């Protein structure tokens, strides 16, 4: 049975929102740890987080001052902010609720529980005292849901679109978090370099990437090497390269995927020509901007190929395709 | 409700909701607040939709009822097919033409259509009640989009889980093959001869109160659950659904949307739920729609009164299940009787469903009687009256006691080339003491129904 475009669209967004909520939780945790680690009096503010989410304007419209409380409130509980944790989880749940009939029952239950947990705990988890526990729970519950998807969703279109959403969102998050370094730490003087390495240690651990990094690269955490690792590692499953090659693979199982495949090939080429060692801070930032634009373009192509339906599309026989 | 909460004292135990000062705990503040806003009666109605004590019916008795329901549904389908084609029954004066042709449920767009097997109402939910004489009577035929079958299936699941020992000691007819019977019936309507025709369940969407049932049946049949926007009709009158593999032709639509909203080209122009052109495709014979548009013409409380005559007229048989004596306010004699005896009768509007807008004479006030007499005089065609039946009761569990409550029974009849009746059906029970209104939209509950051999 072919999958309805509407259902595929919702599954894709279910995954994107779930991965986004876990990614945001990881990032907020890493950033908080990082702030705790740096010496007092250093010029490092919470506005860095706003830059990462491209939401300085939206923040300024609602809040007077950039304080830890305001920024975390904005990013954790504020439903007016479409990048907030609570918003992502709510949106994921809405999408699962309307696609329950194509998913194993447990997935709805777990996503609903994640939602209920976030609704109950979010507002009291802005203060540092409860923040870590809360963010950790969000990540763990997401891992549980991911495990269920891997172990119970049939390998048909439902799985395909869940996976597509997952890797696109991963790619988006990886490029965003790397930008934290560029966005917050500034040009590379002595102090900045030591700050930077502190940041990367926290970031790697938040991505559960510490040991993978040490095995592949070595014990020294240094920014160009971390960036190269997170962009180009062929073995670490959260690297940009890995995400893009997974997407390449998924596209092969779908009809009308030529346009999307071309877009991904182009992105792989861009990635291939990149080397963090050769980049100034400004160049790195520009590169990430370019890559994010490419991710948005890819999303547009996916949208057009499978979700926004034109009545001239080819006739399907209704027979199941090989995946 | 408020009073109850103020007098609620859990004593020395830790209460999960209320603290030692009688105040809600932080975790339950919102919950208790909202509960307090619900009236006692409303609360009683919502309490629990499912009652654990099953309602048994002897298999032997069921055989006759089942045959009677099939007979009735066949006659109703002959009637609908006749009305939209030759109109012999009107010409012969068995049913007055004006009550049929002036009914809002008569859809002139359907004239001249001949659906497969001459069947229009493929899924029928007939409401039965047992009177104090111990006999079953048909209260109404729901031929549009009857719901409740998923509760019948779920209730059986629950009973098997919570009363396995009792269940095992009975010989009870199984109900769980309903989705496959429904699938087979729908597949037989397919205009294309294929091994697995493309069947869709068309739902108004997540906010419809029966959405759960739509999803449940789609899943049970391995069919697509679609919303109107998932379908489109091509220039050459073929229905397609929008899939990730392209457009896929649809053979059969099990629609759970009312006629009025089904197709903005034919019915309500402002409907966003429907599929523009779907009636055009149906008329061209390129898609089957169950139940067929226009089936509601026989689902009218005035037409109901003529069903026994239809059985005699089309099938040359005597009805096996009784109708309730019905007074048609459009007839002068009947109307005078109804007005004179209104305190003894149940007065119903001809075209409402869900138990809305009716008057239960013995339980209504004098001013309500006067109000209904006014309504009847204003629009006599729109009202019928029936004697107040003494609906049978069955025990339900309430507050640790067993108490009697009134109930009815809604079996589901499937019809295409052949007919089939669910063994039993959905028993609906009024949860409010003394109430005769069992509709789930008004807080009725339900029970598992056992056909016991």
């Amino acid at each position: 049975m072919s999958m309805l475009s509407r259902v595929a669209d919702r599954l894709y967004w279910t995954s994107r929102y779930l991965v986004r909520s876990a990614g945001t939780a990881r990032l907020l945790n890493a950033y908080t740890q990082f702030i705790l680690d740096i010496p007092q009096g250093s010029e490092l503010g919470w506005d860095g987080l706003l830059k990462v989410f491209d939401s300085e304007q939206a923040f300024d419209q609602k809040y007077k001052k950039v304080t830890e409380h305001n920024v975390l409130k904005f990013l954790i509980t504020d439903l007016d902010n479409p990048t907030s944790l609570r918003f992502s989880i709510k949106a994921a749940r809405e999408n699962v609720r309307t696609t329950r009939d194509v998913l194993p029952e447990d997935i709805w239950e777990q996503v609903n529980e994640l939602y209920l947990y976030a609704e109950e705990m979010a507002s009291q988890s802005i203060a540092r005292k409860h923040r870590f526990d809360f963010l950790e729970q969000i990540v763990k519950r997401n891992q549980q849901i991911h495990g269920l998807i891997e172990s119970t969703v049939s390998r048909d279109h439902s799985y395909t679109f869940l996976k597509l959403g997952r890797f696109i969102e991963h790619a988006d998050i990886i490029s965003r978090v790397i930008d934290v370094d560029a966005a917050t730490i500034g040009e590379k003087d002595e102090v900045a370099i030591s700050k930077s390495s502190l940041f990367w240690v926290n970031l790697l651990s938040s991505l559960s990437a510490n040991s993978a990094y040490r095995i592949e690269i070595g014990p020294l955490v240094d920014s160009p090497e971390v960036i190269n690792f997170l962009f180009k590692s062929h073995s670490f499953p959260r690297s940009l390269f890995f995400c893009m090659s997974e997407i390449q693979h998924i596209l092969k199982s779908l009809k009308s995927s030529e346009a999307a495949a071309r877009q991904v090939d182009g992105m792989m080429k861009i990635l291939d020509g990149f080397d963090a060692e050769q980049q100034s801070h400004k160049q790195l930032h520009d590169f990430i901007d370019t890559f994010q634009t490419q991710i948005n373009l890819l999303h547009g192509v996916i949208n057009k190929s499978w979700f926004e339906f034109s009545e001239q599309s080819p006739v399907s026989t209704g027979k199941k395709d090989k995946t | 409700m408020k009073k109850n909460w103020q007098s609620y004292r859990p004593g020395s135990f830790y209460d999960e909701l209320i603290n030692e000062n009688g105040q809600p705990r932080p975790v339950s503040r919102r919950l208790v607040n909202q509960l307090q806003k619900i009236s006692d009666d409303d609360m009683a109605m919502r309490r629990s939709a499912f009652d654990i004590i099953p309602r048994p019916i002897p298999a032997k008795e069921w055989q006759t009822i089942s045959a009677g329901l099939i007979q009735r549904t066949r006659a109703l389908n002959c009637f609908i097919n006749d009305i939209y084609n030759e109109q012999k029954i009107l010409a012969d004066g068995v049913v007055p033409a004006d009550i049929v042709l002036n009914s809002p449920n008569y859809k002139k767009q359907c004239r001249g259509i001949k659906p497969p097997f001459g069947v229009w109402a493929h899924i029928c939910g007939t409401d039965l009640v047992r009177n104090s004489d111990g006999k079953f009577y048909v209260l109404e035929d729901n031929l549009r989009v009857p719901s409740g079958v998923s509760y019948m299936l779920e209730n059986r699941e629950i009973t098997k889980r919570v009363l396995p020992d009792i269940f095992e000691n009975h010989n009870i007819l199984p109900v769980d093959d309903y989705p496959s019977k429904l699938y087979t019936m729908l597949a037989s309507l397919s205009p294309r001869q294929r091994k697995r025709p493309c069947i869709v369940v068309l739902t108004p969407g997540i906010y419809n109160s029966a959405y759960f049932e739509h999803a449940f049946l789609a899943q049970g049949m391995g069919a697509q659950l679609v919303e109107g926007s998932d379908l489109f009709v091509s220039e050459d009158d073929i229905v397609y659904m929008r899939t990730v593999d392209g457009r896929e032709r649809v053979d059969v639509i099990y629609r759970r949307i009312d006629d009025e909203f089904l197709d903005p080209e034919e019915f309500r122009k402002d409907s966003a739920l429907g599929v523009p052109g779907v009636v055009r495709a149906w008329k061209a014979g390129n898609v089957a729609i169950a139940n067929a548009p226009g089936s509601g013409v026989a689902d009218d409380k005035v037409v109901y009164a003529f069903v026994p005559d239809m059985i005699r007229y089309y099938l040359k048989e005597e009805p096996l299940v009784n109708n309730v004596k019905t007074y048609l306010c459009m007839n002068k004699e009947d109307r005078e009787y109804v007005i004179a005896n209104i305190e003894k009768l149940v007065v119903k509007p001809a075209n409402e469903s869900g138990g809305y807008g009716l008057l239960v004479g013995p339980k209504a006030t004098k001013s309500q009687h006067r109000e209904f007499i006014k309504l009847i005089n204003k629009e006599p065609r729109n009202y019928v009256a029936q004697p107040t039946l003494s609906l049978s009761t069955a025990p339900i569990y309430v507050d640790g006691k067993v108490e009697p409550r009134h109930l009815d029974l809604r079996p589901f009849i499937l019809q295409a080339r052949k007919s089939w009746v669910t063994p039993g059906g959905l028993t609906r029970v009024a949860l409010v003491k003394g109430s005769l209104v069992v509709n789930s939209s008004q807080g009725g509950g339900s029970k598992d129904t056992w056909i016991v051999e």
Side-chain angles (χ1 to χ4, degrees):
Chain A
M1 196 159 62
S2 286
M3 172 163 282
L4 293 174
S5 297
R6 171 178 53 86
V7 173
D9 190 15
R10 288 180 187 171
L11 290 175
Y12 169 84
W13 277 108
T14 298
S15 246
R16 286 203 68 163
Y17 279 121
L18 284 173
V19 170
R20 188 174 295 177
S21 71
T24 305
R26 286 172 186 281
L27 182 62
L28 296 182
N29 213 349
Y31 202 85
T32 308
Q33 302 279 3
F34 169 49
I35 296 264
L36 289 178
D37 280 345
I38 57 170
Q40 286 212 331
S42 303
E43 299 276 315
L44 188 68
W46 291 92
D47 54 336
L49 279 174
L50 298 174
K51 285 184 197 153
V52 178
F53 288 101
D54 279 332
S55 42
E56 291 146 294
Q57 263 196 341
F59 180 87
D60 287 343
Q61 275 170 13
K62 231 184 133 172
Y63 300 86
K64 285 202 183 97
K65 274 179 87 178
V66 180
T67 61
E68 178 174 359
H69 179 84
N70 282 351
V71 171
L72 270 297
K73 185 175 168 195
F74 179 70
L75 293 173
I76 291 178
T77 70
D78 197 335
L79 283 179
D80 291 337
N81 170 19
T83 59
S84 77
L85 252 179
R86 219 173 122 210
F87 185 96
S88 296
I89 290 171
K90 199 174 165 163
R93 176 194 185 248
E94 251 339 86
N95 281 299
V96 176
R97 200 160 80 96
T98 47
T99 46
R100 280 171 74 173
D101 52 309
V102 300
L103 291 174
E105 185 62 18
D106 290 351
I107 292 183
W108 157 251
E109 279 169 21
Q110 295 284 343
V111 172
N112 194 38
E113 270 177 35
L114 169 67
Y115 163 77
L116 294 172
Y117 174 79
E119 285 297 298
E120 191 190 340
M121 304 301 288
S123 56
Q124 64 199 72
S125 303
I126 296 164
R128 284 187 189 177
K129 192 174 152 203
H130 298 297
R131 193 189 306 160
F132 300 116
D133 274 354
F134 174 73
L135 297 173
E136 204 173 272
Q137 273 292 322
I138 298 293
V139 171
K140 286 210 165 126
R141 285 165 186 260
N142 256 296
Q143 285 169 335
Q144 228 171 31
I145 295 165
H146 177 55
L148 265 178
I149 291 173
E150 286 299 315
S151 59
T152 62
V153 174
S154 292
R155 266 38 177 183
D156 54 15
H157 282 325
S158 358
Y159 185 73
T160 306
F161 284 99
L162 283 170
K163 208 167 164 187
L164 196 56
R166 173 175 182 81
F167 282 106
I168 288 202
E169 190 65 27
H170 258 316
D172 186 70
I173 287 172
I174 291 288
S175 61
R176 271 176 202 280
V177 297
I178 286 167
D179 213 18
V180 176
D181 182 67
T184 58
I185 297 166
E187 287 306 325
K188 305 215 173 218
D189 56 36
E190 280 291 313
V191 189
I193 288 169
S194 80
K195 274 190 212 162
S196 162
S197 122
L198 265 177
F199 173 76
W200 290 115
V201 171
N202 280 314
L203 185 79
L204 284 175
S205 93
S206 81
L207 292 170
S208 316
N210 264 329
S211 66
Y213 177 82
R214 296 214 159 94
I215 290 165
E216 199 173 315
I217 311 291
L220 292 182
V221 177
D222 161 55
S223 102
E225 289 202 319
V226 178
I227 294 169
N228 275 340
F229 170 75
L230 290 177
F231 273 20
K232 299 176 72 168
S233 166
H234 284 216
S235 49
F236 179 60
R238 285 194 174 115
S239 79
L240 263 187
F241 174 87
F242 196 97
C243 293
M244 297 315 298
S245 61
E246 283 289 325
I247 293 169
Q248 227 170 11
H249 184 71
I250 300 162
L251 292 179
K252 288 189 184 127
S253 70
L254 285 167
K255 279 188 189 165
S256 347
S257 62
E258 301 78 14
R262 267 199 306 279
Q263 172 66 17
V264 174
D265 289 347
M267 292 168 79
M268 290 293 251
K269 272 207 195 81
I270 297 176
L271 208 50
D272 209 40
F274 172 83
D275 182 2
E277 305 271 4
Q278 311 291 320
Q279 309 268 322
S280 78
H281 225 239
K282 169 85 172 58
Q283 282 171 320
L284 175 64
H285 181 67
D286 290 346
F287 174 82
I288 290 169
D289 263 0
T290 312
F291 205 81
Q292 291 239 313
T293 310
Q294 293 296 320
I295 292 176
N296 288 338
L297 286 174
L298 176 59
H299 167 71
V301 175
I302 289 173
N303 212 32
K304 212 166 173 179
S305 305
W306 296 291
F307 308 151
E308 271 177 9
F309 197 91
S310 97
E311 299 188 356
Q312 273 73 49
S313 302
V315 177
S316 155
T317 55
K319 285 196 194 101
K320 220 183 109 184
D321 292 296
K322 273 183 242 145
T323 49
Chain B
M1 202 67 225
K2 247 190 163 93
K3 236 178 18 235
N4 286 351
W5 284 92
Q6 273 158 8
S7 58
Y8 183 79
R9 284 280 181 278
S12 60
F13 298 104
Y14 181 94
D15 188 83
E16 303 285 349
L17 274 76
I18 305 293
N19 69 15
E20 52 278 24
N21 303 321
Q23 297 300 314
R25 297 185 186 279
V27 65
S28 61
R29 203 170 292 145
R30 198 147 144 214
L31 171 68
V32 172
N33 243 325
Q34 290 182 342
L35 286 175
Q36 285 180 335
K37 290 185 189 136
I38 302 173
S39 72
D40 276 347
D41 283 358
D42 197 4
M43 196 65 189
M45 287 202 280
R46 295 185 192 205
R47 184 181 44 212
S48 162
F50 175 74
D51 180 69
I52 181 85
I53 307 172
R55 183 257 191 106
I57 298 172
K60 205 148 179 240
E61 183 182 20
W62 185 249
Q63 265 174 14
T64 317
I65 296 163
S66 176
L69 292 170
I70 288 175
Q71 175 195 53
R72 191 174 174 96
T73 315
R74 274 174 58 215
L76 283 164
N77 272 303
C78 290
F79 173 74
I80 304 169
N81 204 40
D82 187 17
I83 291 302
Y84 289 120
N85 288 285
E86 292 87 4
Q87 302 194 337
K88 280 189 300 208
I89 199 166
L90 304 183
D92 289 342
V94 178
V95 178
D98 59 325
I99 68 158
V100 177
L101 304 180
N102 296 329
S103 159
N105 294 320
Y106 170 72
K107 305 291 180 201
K108 59 180 188 310
Q109 295 91 332
C110 302
R111 278 305 297 269
I113 309 291
K114 293 185 192 300
F117 319 116
V119 172
W120 293 65
H122 311 90
I123 300 117
C124 175
T126 297
D127 292 342
L128 298 171
V129 293
R130 203 199 282 269
N131 200 4
S132 47
D133 60 5
K135 283 196 193 120
F136 274 106
Y137 290 82
V138 173
L139 207 54
E140 60 185 60
D141 306 285
N142 296 286
L143 303 174
R144 285 174 270 192
V145 283
S147 60
V149 76
S150 59
Y151 293 98
M152 171 188 89
L153 298 169
E154 290 274 295
N155 289 352
R156 176 59 54 86
E157 285 299 307
I158 301 174
T159 313
K160 282 201 269 193
R161 222 177 307 153
V162 295
L163 300 173
D165 32 356
I166 302 182
F167 197 87
E168 217 188 345
N169 290 329
H170 288 75
N171 201 353
I172 300 154
L173 293 186
V175 293
D176 49 8
D177 54 350
Y178 180 80
S180 56
K181 296 277 186 200
L182 180 63
Y183 173 85
T184 311
M185 185 278 287
L186 292 171
S188 77
L189 305 175
S190 170
R192 290 191 294 171
Q193 293 306 311
R194 313 175 71 203
K195 197 162 163 245
R196 244 194 109 175
C198 177
I199 298 176
V200 300
V201 178
L202 176 60
T203 173
I206 185 97
Y207 298 107
N208 185 275
S209 59
Y211 180 79
F212 162 77
E213 177 160 304
H214 308 159
F216 181 94
L217 292 174
Q219 220 163 2
M221 292 192 289
Q224 290 277 14
L225 180 64
V226 303
E227 295 173 16
S229 59
D230 294 324
L231 303 181
F232 69 93
V233 181
S234 61
E235 293 278 305
D236 52 348
D237 301 340
I238 292 179
V239 183
Y240 290 101
M241 60 181 174
R242 306 164 200 269
T243 83
V244 295
D245 294 327
R247 55 186 180 161
E248 187 175 332
R249 183 170 168 178
V250 174
D251 297 303
V252 183
I253 301 173
Y254 175 25
R255 51 97 173 212
R256 298 294 299 255
I257 293 180
D258 284 331
D259 279 356
E260 288 304 311
F261 298 96
L262 188 58
D263 182 352
E265 274 184 18
E266 292 282 354
F267 304 114
R268 274 178 66 157
K269 306 258 175 295
D270 60 341
S271 168
L273 302 173
V275 186
V278 72
V279 171
R280 181 164 36 93
W282 172 68
K283 283 181 178 174
N286 292 332
V287 73
I289 301 179
N291 290 349
S295 302
V297 69
D299 185 349
D300 175 306
K301 292 182 179 68
V302 178
V303 173
Y304 160 90
F306 294 93
V307 176
D309 296 331
M310 289 176 202
I311 295 172
R312 293 180 195 109
Y313 182 79
Y314 292 114
L315 309 179
K316 316 274 180 282
E317 292 172 11
E318 275 306 302
L320 296 170
V321 188
N322 298 312
N323 246 26
V324 180
K325 166 81 188 147
T326 303
Y327 301 94
L328 304 177
C329 296
M330 53 188 276
N331 298 337
K332 185 162 175 284
E333 221 171 281
D334 282 10
R335 183 165 64 245
E336 280 165 1
Y337 176 84
V338 171
I339 289 170
N341 295 281
I342 197 155
E343 75 284 353
K344 289 189 230 155
L345 300 169
V346 177
V347 184
K348 298 172 169 181
N351 281 309
E352 292 287 331
S353 61
Y356 289 103
L358 58 76
L359 173 93
V360 181
K363 305 213 161 178
T365 62
K366 283 264 180 281
S367 81
Q368 283 168 323
H369 290 157
R370 279 194 298 275
E371 190 197 327
F372 260 75
I373 290 172
K374 233 191 257 169
L375 288 172
I376 291 168
N377 280 324
K378 205 172 150 208
E379 279 184 290
R381 158 66 178 89
N382 208 22
Y383 288 91
V384 303
Q386 294 170 336
T388 312
L389 301 180
S390 315
L391 255 56
S392 61
T393 61
I396 71 164
Y397 250 114
V398 54
D399 307 328
K401 288 183 310 233
V402 183
E403 288 187 8
R405 291 290 186 275
H406 294 295
L407 40 75
D408 79 349
L409 177 63
R410 176 178 284 185
F412 295 86
I413 304 106
L414 301 180
Q415 187 172 18
R417 189 194 304 275
K418 288 185 262 169
S419 308
W420 180 80
V421 183
T422 51
L426 178 68
T427 289
R428 302 186 300 173
V429 52
L431 294 175
V432 177
K433 199 174 200 163
S435 169
L436 296 171
V437 182
V438 297
N439 302 74
S440 64
S441 47
Q442 294 198 46
S446 65
K447 282 170 168 289
D448 188 16
T449 311
W450 289 3
I451 303 301
V452 187
E453 290 198 308

